[in-house]
Amino acid sequence: MSESFSLSSLNEAQRDAVSTLDGPVLILAGAGTGKTRTVTCRIAHMLKKGIAPQNVLAVTFTNKSAVEMRERVCAMVDKKAGKLLTVCTFHSLCVRILREGIDKLGYKKNFTIYAGSDQVGLVKQLIVRKGGKDLNLDAMQVLSMISKNKNEGLAPDYHADDLVAEIAKAYEAELRTQNAVDFDDLMVLAERLLREHEDVRAVLQDKYRYITVDEFQDTNGLQMKLLKQLVGKPFNICVVGDDDQSIYGWRGADVTNILQFEKHYPNPKVILLEVNYRSSAAVLHVANSLIKNNIGRREKELKPHHPGGEKLRIISMPGDEEEAEFIAEEIMERHRVNKKPWEDFAVLFRTNQQSRNLEAAMRAFDIPYRVVGAQSFFDKKEVRDVMAYLQMFYNPLSDVPLLRILNAPPRGIGQGSILLITEASREREMSVWEAMANEEVLAELSTKVKKSVIAFTDLVTETRHRLLDQNNRENMGDVLKEFLETIDFGGWVQRSCKTDNEKEKRAEGIHDVVDYLRDASRQGKTLSQFLDRMALQEDRNDDDIEKQKGVCLITLHASKGLEFPIVYLVGLENGILPHKRSQAEGTVDEERRLLYVGITRAQDEMTMTYCSYRSKYGERVHCESSIFIKELDFEHITEHDYEDIMGAEASEEEQESFFSSLNDMLDDDED
Ligand code: ATP
Ligand code: MG
C-alpha cells in the first residue's frame, strides 16, 4: 500500500463513504475492499473540509495501524494538521483519558500499568498467600477468569470457586494499594470515569466530535460501552469492519457490535464495498470457498479487481523442520533469481511455538527476518527486569516491579528478609517500599540486611529524583545506564549466561532499553510517557514491523489488516488450525475465519503447508491435515508433496548436515 491516496483513487461506494461526514456511518465489507483506505481518505477529507484535527479521533486495532493511518493522512493533507489528530488503539485512548482524570476515581495520576508478566507475578504471590499453592492452581487460568469477570462487569468475588473468588478480591485490593491498573481496568475505569462524571464526559464529547473505529468486528462489550459514553450528538461515528474477520472472540470480542450497529445508532448510512483490490482472483476464490462454510454470516459479494492469478499451492511436508527449510530455501531462491525484496514475503503461523523452526531456518540461510506477534523483545527476562526498575522509579508504591528486582542482582536482601518485609507491609497496610523506610520494620531486620535495604532505598531515591525532576537536563537513558553500572546489572546477567551467543543477545536487550529511553528523553518525553508507550507495546509493534526489514514471520492474529505479495501459511493441521481447543469450545468457526484472514493477506501468491510429523517437547508427534483443506475449492489449487517439490535437489547428506546445524542452533537458543 505504498501509493499515496486521493479522492480520485477511490471507487464510487468508497467516495460515498468519504463524503458522508455527518451522522453514523457503517462500512461493512469483505477483506481487501479498501475499508482502511477509505476511512483514511475520509479523515483527510474532514481536515480539508475545515474540521479541526483536534476534533478527530480514529481508533485502530494495533499501534502499527495507528502509525500507518496517521502517516497516510499526513501525506494527503498539511503535515502539521495530521500530527494533531488522535489516532490510537482503545487502550492508548483509555490511558490518555485516565492520566487526565483518574484522580476523580480515587487513584493517583502516576498509576502503573501491569501487563502480562506483572499480573501473573501478582497472582502467583496471591495463590501462595491464600493457600492455593498445592492445589495446582494455574495463575494464567485464574487471571483469565478475573479478566472475564471484569469485562462482563461482574464483582471480583463473583466466582464459582471460593478460593478463586478470594484471590480475585485480593488481586483488586492489591492493585488499589499499589496504585496500579491492569489492561482490563484501563477500559473499565475509563468507561466509569465518563459515565459517572458528566463534566469529563462533556469535555471529551466536545473534543472528539468525529470518531472512526477500524476493525470494529473485534471490539468487545466494554469498548462499545465506552464508545456510547464518548460519542455525543449528532453521533458522528463511523465504524468499519468485516464480520468474517472477527477473530478475537476468545478475548471477549462481540461481533454483534457491528452486526447490530443500527441498534446503538439508528439509521446509519450503510456502505457496502464489493471490489477486492488486494488479491488475485485465484486467491479470492479459494478464500471465498472456505468462508462460505460458516453459518449465520452476513452474505457478502466480493469481486476481484485483478483477474486470474497463479494457482495456490498446498504442499504436504514430512515434518516441521522440512517445512521451515523448504520455505527458507524457496524465499532465498526467489530473492536471488526473481529479485524479489525480502519484504514481499510473509510466513503466517497459528501458534507462537511455530516461529522457532522458521526463525532457525531463516538464520541458517542468512535471510533477514522480523517476528511479529510472537514472543518478542519485551518478553525477555533481562528486558523485563530493567523495565521493572524503571516502573519502580516512577511509582515505588507498586510492589510487583519492586519485588521483582529487590534482590536482582543479589544485594544481601534474601528471600527470608523479603518475606518479612512483605508481611510487615501487609500488617501495616502499606506498600513494600513504605515498609522499607519504616523504622519499626527496619528494626526487625538484622543489622547487615538493614544496611543493604537502606543503601538500596537511598540509591533508588537518588536515581528516582534524577529521572523525574523536570528541571534536570540529564538524558534519562544516561541516568539509567549509570544506575545499571552501579548495581553491576550487566555483569550479573552475563554471569548467568551459558554461551557467548546468549551473552551477546542478553547484553543487546539491555542496551536496547537504554537506547529506547535515551531516544524518548531526547524527544522530550517523560518517564511516565515512556512507560505508557512500553506497556502498550507501542514501540514493539511499529518499530518491529515498520522499521525493521526482512521477511515477516507473523501470527495469523497479528496479520489482520496487512497485505503481502507472497504468503506462506504453515501448519494446516488439525490441532493447530483448527486449534486443538476449538472443537471442545465450539469455536471452529472462529478458526475458519482465522484461516480466511490468512489467505486474504496474499496479493499474488499463496502457499499452504501441512506436516505428517511435528516435534513437540522433544518428541515427534504424528499430525493429520486440517479439516479446512477439504473445504477449499481445488479449481484454483495445485497439490504437491515435499519430494516432488524439492526434486532431487538436496541429497540426503546435505539434508542431514542442514538438520544438524538447525538443531545446534535451536539448542543454542535454549534459555
Ligand atoms: P482488510 O479487510 O484486510 O482490513 P481493507 O478492506 O481494509 O482490508 P485496504 O487494506 O484498505 O482494505 O485495501 C486493500 C488494498 O486495496 C490496498 O492495497 C489498497 O491500497 C487497495 N485499494 C483500496 N481501494 C482501492 C481503489 N479504489 N483503487 C485501487 N486500489 C485500492
Ligand atoms: Mg483494513
Side-chain angles (χ1 to χ4, degrees):
M1 295 204 289
S2 56
E3 84 270 39
S4 74
F5 302 159
S6 68
L7 263 187
S8 57
S9 71
L10 299 174
N11 67 33
E12 208 178 312
Q14 291 173 330
R15 268 206 299 273
D16 197 10
V18 168
S19 51
T20 312
L21 298 184
D22 298 317
V25 175
L26 165 66
I27 305 178
L28 185 59
T33 52
K35 295 183 295 298
T36 303
R37 176 166 169 155
T38 302
V39 285
T40 308
C41 286
R42 192 169 174 273
I43 291 170
H45 189 60
M46 285 179 194
L47 302 186
K48 281 186 183 152
K49 284 270 162 190
I51 292 169
Q54 293 88 337
N55 291 148
V56 179
L57 164 69
V59 182
T60 58
F61 201 72
T62 63
N63 300 299
K64 179 206 171 301
S65 348
V67 173
E68 213 169 79
M69 189 176 282
R70 184 192 303 279
E71 278 172 2
R72 295 261 153 78
V73 176
C74 281
M76 282 184 275
V77 295
D78 171 31
K79 220 175 164 164
K80 269 201 213 118
K83 286 207 168 128
L84 293 172
L85 295 166
T86 308
V87 190
C88 61
T89 63
F90 268 111
H91 284 110
S92 314
L93 176 68
C94 292
V95 173
R96 276 163 215 243
I97 295 175
L98 292 174
R99 287 268 178 237
E100 287 291 314
I102 199 169
D103 48 333
K104 288 196 158 62
L105 299 176
Y107 286 79
K108 280 186 280 207
K109 281 189 178 175
N110 72 338
F111 63 85
T112 304
I113 304 168
Y114 284 177
S117 58
D118 307 318
Q119 291 172 281
V120 178
L122 180 55
V123 170
K124 275 188 183 156
Q125 286 172 27
L126 292 173
I127 291 178
V128 175
R129 208 189 308 156
K130 298 287 170 196
K133 197 178 171 195
D134 303 325
L135 299 175
N136 256 343
L137 258 190
D138 178 42
M140 291 294 282
Q141 226 170 344
V142 174
L143 254 182
S144 90
M145 286 192 269
I146 293 177
S147 162
K148 195 157 173 273
N149 268 15
K150 253 192 225 190
N151 276 298
E152 287 173 8
L154 302 168
D157 53 356
Y158 184 87
H159 282 284
D161 184 308
D162 284 349
L163 183 61
V164 174
E166 213 180 306
I167 293 171
K169 235 166 63 184
Y171 174 80
E172 291 313 311
E174 281 295 326
L175 289 181
R176 282 307 290 255
T177 325
Q178 301 179 23
N179 196 34
V181 302
D182 65 17
F183 262 56
D184 298 318
D185 289 332
L186 290 176
M187 298 297 310
V188 173
L189 294 175
E191 194 269 337
R192 210 175 96 204
L193 181 64
L194 263 78
R195 183 163 34 83
E196 292 177 358
H197 295 270
E198 208 191 322
D199 51 334
V200 179
R201 188 168 67 235
V203 169
L204 286 168
Q205 286 191 353
D206 188 54
K207 180 172 164 62
Y208 299 128
R209 293 191 200 166
Y210 292 86
I211 298 182
T212 307
V213 186
D214 197 2
E215 305 280 1
F216 191 69
Q217 75 279 357
D218 280 320
T219 50
N220 64 23
L222 251 175
Q223 288 161 336
M224 188 68 221
K225 277 193 193 159
L226 179 77
L227 276 180
K228 295 284 285 210
Q229 299 297 335
L230 204 57
V231 183
K233 279 188 181 147
F235 308 126
N236 297 329
I237 172 157
C238 170
V239 304
V240 190
D242 174 8
D243 50 317
D244 285 335
Q245 294 183 69
S246 157
I247 53 176
Y248 281 90
W250 55 282
R251 234 165 52 178
D254 184 358
V255 71
T256 57
N257 284 347
I258 193 163
L259 294 177
Q260 296 176 8
F261 181 73
E262 287 100 325
K263 269 198 186 159
H264 301 283
Y265 299 101
N267 304 318
K269 167 117 190 171
V270 181
I271 310 263
L272 305 173
L273 306 175
E274 296 183 337
V275 184
N276 174 302
Y277 291 93
R278 177 182 296 145
S279 309
S280 69
V283 168
L284 217 53
H285 266 113
V286 174
N288 284 336
S289 68
L290 173 76
I291 199 67
K292 73 174 196 295
N293 291 283
N294 268 3
I295 39 175
R297 58 186 278 269
R298 204 152 154 162
E299 233 0 274
K300 276 187 288 292
E301 185 87 28
L302 255 193
K303 297 175 201 146
H305 182 71
H306 310 293
E310 282 199 29
K311 284 192 176 188
L312 288 71
R313 294 182 301 173
I314 293 185
I315 312 174
S316 72
M317 300 281 174
D320 50 349
E321 287 175 340
E322 288 88 343
E323 181 182 56
E325 181 214 357
F326 162 74
I327 291 172
E329 195 174 335
E330 192 170 273
I331 290 178
M332 178 58 110
E333 187 85 8
R334 303 289 305 274
H335 173 76
R336 260 201 221 133
V337 180
N338 307 102
K339 306 280 176 261
K340 299 266 181 204
W342 300 122
E343 293 72 33
D344 273 11
F345 301 90
V347 188
L348 273 46
F349 49 90
R350 172 70 179 89
T351 64
N352 286 334
Q353 296 92 303
Q354 289 172 272
S355 79
R356 291 198 86 200
N357 268 329
L358 293 166
E359 272 190 77
M362 295 295 150
R363 271 189 263 157
F365 281 89
D366 247 340
I367 298 175
Y369 69 91
R370 57 213 153 125
V371 187
V372 186
Q375 214 234 10
S376 87
F377 179 64
F378 292 91
D379 301 324
K380 292 184 193 161
K381 185 180 175 305
E382 66 281 4
V383 172
R384 292 211 312 252
D385 284 344
V386 179
M387 292 305 296
Y389 270 107
L390 289 173
Q391 280 182 328
M392 178 196 58
F393 290 135
Y394 180 57
N395 172 14
L397 300 187
S398 56
D399 292 349
V400 173
L402 173 62
L403 288 173
R404 180 178 176 102
I405 48 76
L406 190 49
N407 203 34
R411 51 174 67 91
I413 313 175
Q415 231 14 64
S417 310
I418 292 179
L419 206 65
L420 195 147
I421 299 170
T422 318
E423 283 304 316
S425 78
R426 205 142 291 126
E427 278 162 23
R428 291 169 175 76
E429 293 187 357
M430 52 174 61
S431 70
V432 173
W433 175 257
E434 288 164 319
M436 288 188 343
N438 183 295
E439 282 304 331
E440 285 175 26
V441 179
L442 286 174
E444 289 180 41
L445 302 169
S446 73
T447 325
K448 217 171 133 206
V449 176
K450 184 175 161 183
K451 230 171 118 190
S452 306
V453 168
I454 293 174
F456 175 71
T457 49
D458 282 351
L459 177 63
V460 170
T461 307
E462 190 241 337
T463 312
R464 178 162 196 259
H465 284 139
R466 285 168 66 191
L467 288 171
L468 296 186
D469 181 4
Q470 297 292 316
N471 296 321
N472 184 1
R473 303 216 149 263
E474 282 177 292
N475 183 299
M476 294 189 292
D478 295 333
V479 177
L480 175 66
K481 186 161 180 269
E482 192 187 312
F483 172 82
L484 294 175
E485 278 164 10
T486 308
I487 63 170
D488 190 27
F489 185 81
W492 171 66
V493 170
Q494 295 288 298
R495 285 191 290 280
S496 71
C497 297
K498 285 189 225 93
T499 63
D500 286 346
N501 186 11
E502 197 186 342
K503 275 188 185 159
E504 202 178 303
K505 273 205 275 181
R506 293 250 150 105
E508 235 170 53
I510 303 169
H511 286 311
D512 284 347
V513 185
V514 172
D515 282 349
Y516 279 143
L517 184 61
R518 194 174 279 135
D519 283 351
S521 192
R522 222 175 262 144
Q523 292 163 14
K525 296 227 161 46
T526 62
L527 183 59
S528 150
Q529 287 166 328
F530 173 77
L531 288 172
D532 284 351
R533 274 181 74 91
M534 288 296 189
L536 294 164
Q537 306 177 357
E538 289 182 346
D539 288 310
R540 175 198 287 206
N541 286 329
D542 40 80
D543 279 7
D544 274 9
I545 205 170
E546 284 303 294
K547 299 200 187 115
Q548 286 183 25
K549 295 283 175 208
V551 174
C552 186
L553 309 182
I554 187 167
T555 62
L556 283 162
H557 280 100
S559 76
K560 200 166 59 130
L562 305 180
E563 57 190 15
F564 304 90
I566 304 169
V567 173
Y568 295 86
L569 203 158
V570 300
L572 227 78
E573 295 140 34
N574 288 336
I576 295 220
L577 189 63
H579 196 273
K580 58 179 178 303
R581 285 194 305 267
S582 60
Q583 197 93 39
E585 292 174 359
T587 52
V588 175
D589 280 6
E590 182 152 314
E591 297 290 308
R592 193 179 279 111
R593 289 194 289 270
L594 199 49
L595 177 55
Y596 175 75
V597 167
I599 298 175
T600 53
R601 297 312 94 198
Q603 292 172 296
D604 307 322
E605 293 175 39
M606 175 82 209
T607 303
M608 292 175 263
T609 57
Y610 63 91
C611 305
S612 306
Y613 287 92
R614 189 167 282 282
S615 3
K616 218 173 178 185
Y617 312 116
E619 275 175 48
R620 268 167 89 76
V621 182
H622 179 68
C623 317
E624 54 184 49
S625 62
S626 169
I627 47 165
F628 294 146
I629 293 180
K630 293 185 201 74
E631 299 175 359
L632 304 176
D633 178 0
F634 272 74
E635 197 189 321
H636 301 279
I637 293 176
T638 55
E639 278 189 284
H640 308 267
D641 62 28
Y642 181 70
E643 272 76 37
D644 93 54
I645 207 125
M646 293 297 277
E649 281 169 45
S651 71
E652 261 183 35
E653 225 170 277
E654 274 169 351
Q655 278 192 35
E656 235 164 55
S657 80
F658 170 80
F659 286 134
S660 70
S661 71
L662 198 68
N663 280 329
D664 284 350
M665 238 176 310
L666 286 173
D667 289 344
D668 258 9
D669 261 6
E670 221 71 64
D671 281 343

